[in-house]
Protein backbone atom coordinates (compact mmCIF):
# COMPACT_ATOMS: atom_id res chain seq x y z
CA UNK A 1 0.00 0.00 0.00
CA UNK A 2 1.24 3.49 -0.84
CA UNK A 3 -0.06 6.85 0.18
CA UNK A 4 -1.23 9.69 -2.08
CA UNK A 5 1.39 11.73 -3.95
CA UNK A 6 2.79 14.51 -1.83
CA UNK A 7 2.74 12.50 1.41
CA UNK A 8 5.49 13.75 3.68
CA UNK A 9 8.27 11.34 4.68
CA UNK A 10 10.44 13.19 7.13
CA UNK A 11 12.69 11.25 9.47
CA UNK A 12 12.45 13.69 12.36
CA UNK A 13 9.41 14.93 14.32
CA UNK A 14 8.00 18.27 13.22
CA UNK A 15 9.81 20.92 15.27
CA UNK A 16 6.98 23.41 14.63
CA UNK A 17 4.47 21.68 16.92
CA UNK A 18 4.94 24.56 19.37
CA UNK A 19 5.26 27.31 16.76
CA UNK A 20 2.95 30.33 16.74
CA UNK A 21 -0.36 29.98 14.89
CA UNK A 22 -0.38 31.40 11.37
CA UNK A 23 -2.76 34.23 12.32
CA UNK A 24 -0.53 35.47 15.17
CA UNK A 25 2.14 38.00 14.27
CA UNK A 26 5.53 36.92 15.53
CA UNK A 27 7.69 38.92 17.86
CA UNK A 28 10.96 38.43 19.67
CA UNK A 29 9.32 37.63 22.99
CA UNK A 30 6.69 35.29 21.52
CA UNK A 31 9.26 33.41 19.47
CA UNK A 32 11.37 33.03 22.60
CA UNK A 33 8.36 31.67 24.50
CA UNK A 34 7.69 29.19 21.70
CA UNK A 35 11.25 27.91 22.03
CA UNK A 36 10.82 27.68 25.81
CA UNK A 37 7.62 25.68 25.30
CA UNK A 38 9.50 23.29 23.01
CA UNK A 39 12.17 22.83 25.69
CA UNK A 40 9.56 22.01 28.32
CA UNK A 41 7.85 19.59 25.96
CA UNK A 42 11.14 17.77 25.37
CA UNK A 43 11.69 17.59 29.13
CA UNK A 44 8.32 15.84 29.56
CA UNK A 45 9.89 12.60 28.33
CA UNK A 46 13.12 11.07 29.65
CA UNK A 47 16.21 10.88 27.45
CA UNK A 48 16.15 7.08 27.54
CA UNK A 49 12.53 7.02 26.38
CA UNK A 50 13.24 9.53 23.62
CA UNK A 51 16.17 7.41 22.44
CA UNK A 52 13.98 4.30 22.40
CA UNK A 53 11.21 6.10 20.50
CA UNK A 54 13.73 7.33 17.91
CA UNK A 55 14.91 3.76 17.37
CA UNK A 56 11.31 2.56 17.09
CA UNK A 57 10.63 5.12 14.35
CA UNK A 58 13.84 4.26 12.49
CA UNK A 59 12.95 0.56 12.56
CA UNK A 60 9.41 1.21 11.31
CA UNK A 61 10.48 3.51 8.48
CA UNK A 62 13.08 0.95 7.37
CA UNK A 63 10.39 -1.76 7.43
CA UNK A 64 8.11 0.47 5.31
CA UNK A 65 10.83 0.97 2.72
CA UNK A 66 11.44 -2.78 2.53
CA UNK A 67 7.71 -3.43 2.07
CA UNK A 68 7.27 -0.70 -0.53
CA UNK A 69 5.01 1.54 1.50
CA UNK A 70 5.26 4.90 3.22
CA UNK A 71 5.29 5.65 6.96
CA UNK A 72 3.36 8.91 6.55
CA UNK A 73 0.53 9.66 6.90
CA UNK A 74 -0.34 7.01 9.53
CA UNK A 75 -2.40 4.06 8.26
CA UNK A 76 -3.77 1.67 10.93
CA UNK A 77 -3.86 -1.15 8.38
CA UNK A 78 -0.10 -0.84 7.82
CA UNK A 79 0.61 -0.59 11.55
CA UNK A 80 -1.36 -3.80 12.11
CA UNK A 81 0.73 -5.60 9.48
CA UNK A 82 3.92 -4.28 11.08
CA UNK A 83 2.90 -5.58 14.52
CA UNK A 84 2.06 -8.98 13.05
CA UNK A 85 5.48 -9.12 11.39
CA UNK A 86 7.19 -8.33 14.69
CA UNK A 87 5.28 -11.10 16.45
CA UNK A 88 5.84 -13.89 13.94
CA UNK A 89 9.60 -13.49 13.55
CA UNK A 90 11.54 -14.00 10.36
CA UNK A 91 14.80 -15.44 9.13
CA UNK A 92 16.27 -11.96 9.70
CA UNK A 93 15.38 -11.95 13.39
CA UNK A 94 13.41 -13.71 16.14
CA UNK A 95 9.90 -12.81 17.20
CA UNK A 96 9.77 -9.95 19.69
CA UNK A 97 8.31 -10.20 23.16
CA UNK A 98 4.79 -8.84 23.61
CA UNK A 99 6.08 -6.10 25.91
CA UNK A 100 8.58 -4.99 23.25
CA UNK A 101 5.89 -4.93 20.56
CA UNK A 102 3.65 -2.85 22.82
CA UNK A 103 6.55 -0.46 23.44
CA UNK A 104 7.19 -0.20 19.69
CA UNK A 105 3.56 0.79 19.18
CA UNK A 106 3.83 3.43 21.91
CA UNK A 107 6.92 4.76 20.15
CA UNK A 108 5.05 5.04 16.85
CA UNK A 109 2.10 6.79 18.54
CA UNK A 110 4.49 9.30 20.11
CA UNK A 111 6.33 9.96 16.85
CA UNK A 112 3.11 10.48 14.91
CA UNK A 113 1.79 12.83 17.62
CA UNK A 114 4.96 14.94 17.33
CA UNK A 115 4.24 15.31 13.62
CA UNK A 116 0.69 16.45 14.31
CA UNK A 117 -0.68 13.16 12.93
CA UNK A 118 -2.26 11.28 15.84
CA UNK A 119 -2.53 7.51 15.56
CA UNK A 120 -5.53 5.84 17.23
CA UNK A 121 -4.21 2.62 18.72
CA UNK A 122 -7.83 1.61 19.43
CA UNK A 123 -8.50 1.31 15.70
CA UNK A 124 -9.64 -2.26 14.98
CA UNK A 125 -6.75 -2.90 12.58
CA UNK A 126 -4.34 -2.28 15.46
CA UNK A 127 -6.27 -3.24 18.61
CA UNK A 128 -7.48 -6.61 17.28
CA UNK A 129 -4.04 -7.64 16.04
CA UNK A 130 -2.39 -6.60 19.32
CA UNK A 131 -5.03 -8.44 21.37
CA UNK A 132 -4.41 -11.60 19.33
CA UNK A 133 -0.65 -11.26 19.81
CA UNK A 134 -1.12 -10.93 23.56
CA UNK A 135 -3.46 -13.91 23.72
CA UNK A 136 -1.18 -16.19 21.72
CA UNK A 137 2.30 -15.07 22.73
CA UNK A 138 2.10 -13.40 26.17
CA UNK A 139 4.34 -14.93 28.82
CA UNK A 140 4.90 -14.15 32.50
CA UNK A 141 7.47 -11.37 32.90
CA UNK A 142 11.08 -12.51 33.28
CA UNK A 143 12.36 -11.09 36.54
CA UNK A 144 15.96 -10.28 37.30
CA UNK A 145 17.46 -12.03 40.31
CA UNK A 146 17.66 -10.11 43.55
CA UNK A 147 21.03 -9.25 45.05
CA UNK A 148 20.75 -10.13 48.73
CA UNK A 149 22.73 -8.87 51.73
CA UNK A 150 25.42 -11.58 51.54
CA UNK A 151 25.77 -10.92 47.81
CA UNK A 152 26.24 -7.16 48.13
CA UNK A 153 28.87 -7.68 50.83
CA UNK A 154 30.78 -10.12 48.61
CA UNK A 155 30.52 -7.72 45.64
CA UNK A 156 31.81 -4.68 47.53
CA UNK A 157 34.60 -6.74 49.10
CA UNK A 158 36.23 -7.43 45.72
CA UNK A 159 36.36 -3.76 44.75
CA UNK A 160 39.76 -2.05 45.11
CA UNK A 161 40.28 0.85 47.50
CA UNK A 162 41.35 3.32 44.83
CA UNK A 163 39.18 6.20 43.63
CA UNK A 164 37.15 4.08 41.22
CA UNK A 165 36.63 1.44 43.87
CA UNK A 166 35.36 4.04 46.35
CA UNK A 167 32.91 5.35 43.75
CA UNK A 168 31.61 1.93 42.70
CA UNK A 169 31.28 0.78 46.31
CA UNK A 170 29.16 3.85 47.06
CA UNK A 171 27.01 3.19 43.98
CA UNK A 172 26.31 -0.42 44.98
CA UNK A 173 25.60 0.26 48.65
CA UNK A 174 23.52 3.38 48.03
CA UNK A 175 21.55 1.72 45.23
CA UNK A 176 20.90 -1.34 47.39
CA UNK A 177 19.96 0.45 50.61
CA UNK A 178 17.84 3.01 48.79
CA UNK A 179 16.13 0.55 46.45
CA UNK A 180 17.05 2.96 43.66
CA UNK A 181 16.67 2.67 39.93
CA UNK A 182 19.97 2.95 38.10
CA UNK A 183 18.85 6.25 36.51
CA UNK A 184 18.08 7.63 39.97
CA UNK A 185 21.57 6.76 41.21
CA UNK A 186 23.50 8.53 38.48
CA UNK A 187 21.19 11.57 38.31
CA UNK A 188 21.94 12.62 41.90
CA UNK A 189 23.58 15.97 42.61
CA UNK A 190 25.18 17.00 45.88
CA UNK A 191 22.94 20.02 46.38
CA UNK A 192 19.57 21.18 45.10
CA UNK A 193 19.61 22.78 41.64
CA UNK A 194 23.33 22.19 41.07
CA UNK A 195 22.85 21.19 37.42
CA UNK A 196 20.02 21.44 34.86
CA UNK A 197 19.96 17.66 34.28
CA UNK A 198 19.76 16.79 37.98
CA UNK A 199 17.31 14.11 39.05
CA UNK A 200 17.59 14.89 42.75
CA UNK A 201 20.01 15.70 45.52
CA UNK A 202 21.48 14.33 48.75
CA UNK A 203 21.70 15.68 52.29
CA UNK A 204 24.09 13.83 54.61
CA UNK A 205 23.03 13.96 58.26
CA UNK A 206 24.22 12.43 61.51
CA UNK A 207 21.71 9.58 61.34
CA UNK A 208 21.89 8.95 57.61
CA UNK A 209 21.33 10.45 54.17
CA UNK A 210 18.15 11.97 52.81
CA UNK A 211 17.67 11.68 49.04
CA UNK A 212 15.14 13.89 47.29
CA UNK A 213 14.39 12.29 43.93
CA UNK A 214 12.53 13.46 40.87
CA UNK A 215 11.59 9.94 39.82
CA UNK A 216 9.36 8.59 37.06
CA UNK A 217 6.41 8.61 39.48
CA UNK A 218 7.09 12.14 40.76
CA UNK A 219 9.05 13.65 43.62
CA UNK A 220 9.78 11.43 46.61
CA UNK A 221 12.13 11.31 49.58
CA UNK A 222 14.28 8.27 50.33
CA UNK A 223 15.81 7.90 53.79
CA UNK A 224 18.98 5.81 54.00
CA UNK A 225 20.11 5.14 57.56
CA UNK A 226 23.67 4.41 58.55
CA UNK A 227 24.79 0.79 58.58
CA UNK A 228 26.05 -1.33 61.45
CA UNK A 229 29.70 -0.75 60.46
CA UNK A 230 31.70 1.55 58.19
CA UNK A 231 32.48 -1.41 55.93
CA UNK A 232 28.83 -1.92 55.05
CA UNK A 233 27.44 1.60 55.56
CA UNK A 234 26.15 3.27 52.37
CA UNK A 235 26.32 6.73 53.95
CA UNK A 236 29.96 6.23 54.98
CA UNK A 237 30.81 4.91 51.50
CA UNK A 238 29.20 7.97 49.92
CA UNK A 239 31.03 10.37 52.24
CA UNK A 240 34.36 8.63 51.52
CA UNK A 241 33.86 8.96 47.77
CA UNK A 242 32.87 12.63 47.99
CA UNK A 243 35.87 13.40 50.23
CA UNK A 244 38.58 11.70 48.19
CA UNK A 245 37.05 12.72 44.84
CA UNK A 246 36.89 16.31 46.13
CA UNK A 247 33.32 16.73 45.02
CA UNK A 248 31.53 19.65 46.65
CA UNK A 249 29.17 20.65 43.85
CA UNK A 250 27.26 19.10 40.95
CA UNK A 251 26.90 15.45 39.93
CA UNK A 252 27.86 12.95 42.61
CA UNK A 253 28.76 9.94 40.50
CA UNK A 254 31.16 10.99 37.78
CA UNK A 255 33.81 9.42 35.58
CA UNK A 256 37.44 9.26 36.67
CA UNK A 257 40.63 9.97 34.76
CA UNK A 258 42.23 7.16 32.80
CA UNK A 259 44.81 6.57 35.53
CA UNK A 260 42.06 6.56 38.17
CA UNK A 261 43.56 9.35 40.25
CA UNK A 262 41.13 12.21 39.53
CA UNK A 263 37.37 12.63 39.41
CA UNK A 264 36.15 14.33 36.25
CA UNK A 265 33.08 16.52 35.89
CA UNK A 266 31.27 14.13 33.50
CA UNK A 267 28.20 12.45 34.99
CA UNK A 268 28.13 8.67 34.65
CA UNK A 269 25.61 7.06 32.32
CA UNK A 270 23.07 4.72 33.94
CA UNK A 271 24.52 1.85 31.91
CA UNK A 272 27.57 2.04 34.16
CA UNK A 273 25.42 0.72 37.03
CA UNK A 274 24.25 -2.27 35.00
CA UNK A 275 27.80 -3.09 33.88
CA UNK A 276 29.10 -2.67 37.42
CA UNK A 277 26.53 -5.08 38.83
CA UNK A 278 27.30 -7.73 36.22
CA UNK A 279 31.06 -7.37 36.64
CA UNK A 280 30.91 -7.65 40.42
CA UNK A 281 28.50 -10.60 40.26
CA UNK A 282 31.00 -12.38 38.02
CA UNK A 283 34.12 -11.48 40.01
CA UNK A 284 32.53 -12.24 43.39
CA UNK A 285 31.35 -15.66 42.21
CA UNK A 286 27.64 -15.01 42.80
CA UNK A 287 25.60 -17.98 41.50
CA UNK A 288 28.78 -19.68 40.31
CA UNK A 289 26.73 -22.87 39.81
CA UNK A 290 25.39 -21.40 36.55
CA UNK A 291 27.20 -20.94 33.22
CA UNK A 292 28.65 -17.44 32.99
CA UNK A 293 26.36 -16.21 30.20
CA UNK A 294 23.27 -17.39 32.06
CA UNK A 295 24.55 -15.92 35.31
CA UNK A 296 25.20 -12.49 33.83
CA UNK A 297 21.79 -12.47 32.13
CA UNK A 298 20.18 -13.14 35.50
CA UNK A 299 21.43 -9.93 37.11
CA UNK A 300 21.12 -6.27 36.17
CA UNK A 301 20.98 -2.84 37.75
CA UNK A 302 17.40 -3.65 38.79
CA UNK A 303 18.76 -6.47 40.97
CA UNK A 304 19.75 -3.86 43.57
CA UNK A 305 16.16 -2.63 43.81
CA UNK A 306 14.78 -6.17 44.01
CA UNK A 307 17.41 -6.98 46.62
CA UNK A 308 16.14 -4.41 49.10
CA UNK A 309 12.54 -5.51 48.60
CA UNK A 310 13.50 -9.16 49.14
CA UNK A 311 15.93 -8.79 52.05
CA UNK A 312 14.43 -6.03 54.22
CA UNK A 313 12.54 -7.80 56.99
CA UNK A 314 10.22 -4.95 57.94
CA UNK A 315 6.59 -4.08 57.43
CA UNK A 316 5.82 -4.17 53.71
CA UNK A 317 4.54 -0.59 53.64
CA UNK A 318 8.00 0.73 54.56
CA UNK A 319 9.51 -1.10 51.61
CA UNK A 320 6.72 0.21 49.39
CA UNK A 321 7.47 3.78 50.48
CA UNK A 322 11.22 3.35 49.91
CA UNK A 323 10.69 2.02 46.39
CA UNK A 324 8.10 4.67 45.59
CA UNK A 325 5.42 2.18 44.55
CA UNK A 326 1.79 3.25 44.34
CA UNK A 327 0.53 -0.17 45.43
CA UNK A 328 1.61 -3.02 47.68
CA UNK A 329 1.01 -5.42 44.80
CA UNK A 330 3.79 -3.78 42.79
CA UNK A 331 6.14 -4.08 45.77
CA UNK A 332 5.35 -7.79 46.09
CA UNK A 333 6.51 -8.31 42.50
CA UNK A 334 9.97 -7.25 43.64
CA UNK A 335 10.07 -9.59 46.63
CA UNK A 336 11.87 -12.65 45.35
CA UNK A 337 11.71 -14.44 48.70
CA UNK A 338 8.64 -14.02 50.88
CA UNK A 339 6.09 -16.22 52.59
CA UNK A 340 3.46 -16.40 49.87
CA UNK A 341 1.14 -18.47 52.07
CA UNK A 342 1.34 -16.41 55.26
CA UNK A 343 -2.34 -15.62 54.78
CA UNK A 344 -4.07 -18.98 54.16
CA UNK A 345 -7.49 -18.30 52.73
CA UNK A 346 -8.18 -22.06 52.45
CA UNK A 347 -8.09 -22.50 56.23
CA UNK A 348 -9.78 -19.18 56.77
CA UNK A 349 -12.66 -20.41 54.61
CA UNK A 350 -13.08 -23.45 56.88
CA UNK A 351 -11.25 -26.14 54.91
Amino acid sequence: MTFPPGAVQDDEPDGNSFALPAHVAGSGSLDQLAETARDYARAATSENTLTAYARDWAHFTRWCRMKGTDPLPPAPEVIGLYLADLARGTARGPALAVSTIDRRLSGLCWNYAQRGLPLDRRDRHIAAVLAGIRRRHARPPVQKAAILAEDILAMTAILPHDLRGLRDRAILLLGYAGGLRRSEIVSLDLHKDDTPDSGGWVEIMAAGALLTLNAKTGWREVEIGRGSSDRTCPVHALAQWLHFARIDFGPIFVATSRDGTRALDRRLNDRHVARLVKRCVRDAGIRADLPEAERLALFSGHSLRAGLASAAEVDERYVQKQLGHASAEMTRRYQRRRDRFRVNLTKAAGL
Side-chain angles (χ1 to χ4, degrees):
M1 173 181 179
T2 57
F3 294 106
V8 181
Q9 294 191 56
D10 55 352
D11 289 329
E12 296 296 332
D14 183 2
N16 295 320
S17 53
F18 287 90
L20 296 174
H23 66 275
V24 176
S27 68
S29 60
L30 285 177
D31 290 340
Q32 194 171 28
L33 282 175
E35 182 60 36
T36 301
R38 283 192 287 271
D39 287 341
Y40 280 130
R42 284 191 289 268
T45 309
S46 74
E47 286 297 325
N48 286 344
T49 301
L50 290 175
T51 300
Y53 285 172
R55 288 173 180 162
D56 294 338
W57 182 253
H59 186 274
F60 176 62
T61 55
R62 186 167 60 250
W63 181 89
C64 286
R65 287 194 296 270
M66 292 173 62
K67 301 300 181 184
T69 186
D70 298 320
L72 295 173
E77 300 90 339
V78 173
I79 303 295
L81 296 177
Y82 174 64
L83 299 180
D85 203 18
L86 296 179
R88 72 172 183 172
T90 64
R92 297 173 61 88
L96 298 184
V98 175
S99 59
T100 304
I101 294 173
D102 197 51
R103 208 287 317 287
R104 287 270 175 94
L105 178 58
S106 296
L108 296 186
C109 290
W110 183 90
N111 275 281
Y112 279 124
Q114 303 312 301
R115 291 165 169 81
L117 301 167
L119 173 68
D120 184 7
R121 60 186 297 160
R122 294 172 298 180
D123 183 282
R124 64 187 181 87
H125 296 96
I126 298 174
V129 170
L130 189 58
I133 290 172
R134 287 190 179 122
R135 184 177 180 85
R136 182 173 296 181
H137 298 297
R139 298 288 184 272
V142 178
Q143 294 182 318
K144 295 298 183 180
I147 290 173
L148 302 177
E150 58 269 24
D151 300 326
I152 201 73
L153 295 180
M155 291 164 66
T156 55
I158 57 96
L159 290 171
H161 290 277
D162 58 8
L163 202 57
R164 283 199 193 104
L166 291 176
R167 179 198 64 194
D168 291 344
R169 189 173 287 105
I171 287 174
L172 291 176
L173 290 173
L174 201 72
Y176 178 80
L180 304 178
R181 300 176 180 89
R182 64 187 196 182
S183 59
E184 293 172 344
I185 297 172
V186 298
S187 68
L188 284 170
D189 280 1
L190 190 53
H191 306 108
K192 181 180 179 181
D193 298 332
D194 274 357
T195 62
D197 62 339
S198 169
W201 64 90
V202 176
E203 298 173 73
I204 298 180
M205 308 172 182
L210 176 64
L211 279 57
T212 304
L213 300 173
N214 185 9
K216 61 189 295 186
T217 54
W219 286 98
R220 82 176 197 273
E221 290 184 342
V222 173
E223 300 158 359
I224 300 180
R226 292 187 180 271
S228 55
S229 72
D230 286 349
R231 184 175 66 89
T232 63
C233 176
V235 183
H236 178 76
L238 175 61
Q240 288 285 97
W241 158 247
L242 293 174
H243 172 73
F244 286 103
R246 298 179 180 178
I247 294 174
D248 52 18
F249 179 87
I252 287 179
F253 294 116
V254 296
T256 59
S257 59
R258 188 177 296 275
D259 60 5
T261 60
R262 291 180 298 107
L264 307 178
D265 58 1
R266 186 175 75 252
R267 190 189 299 275
L268 288 177
N269 188 287
D270 65 343
R271 290 190 295 272
H272 174 84
V273 179
R275 291 193 295 263
L276 173 64
V277 167
K278 290 180 181 292
R279 175 167 56 84
C280 290
V281 161
R282 182 196 62 208
D283 294 349
I286 309 298
R287 291 303 308 270
D289 56 305
L290 298 175
E292 183 167 313
E294 184 178 341
R295 183 159 53 115
L296 295 183
L298 198 58
F299 293 91
S300 72
H302 224 61
S303 297
L304 297 174
R305 193 164 161 82
L308 176 78
S310 302
E313 297 180 355
V314 295
D315 191 302
E316 192 175 75
R317 45 193 180 150
Y318 294 111
V319 179
Q320 180 183 340
K321 178 180 181 294
Q322 190 84 336
L323 298 183
H325 287 154
S327 68
E329 180 57 35
M330 178 58 72
T331 302
R332 292 187 193 108
R333 295 183 191 178
Y334 282 73
Q335 294 172 326
R336 305 296 189 260
R337 61 178 192 186
R338 62 185 174 90
D339 185 0
R340 296 180 179 273
F341 303 101
R342 182 173 59 86
V343 176
N344 190 328
L345 291 181
T346 306
K347 290 181 178 179
L351 298 181

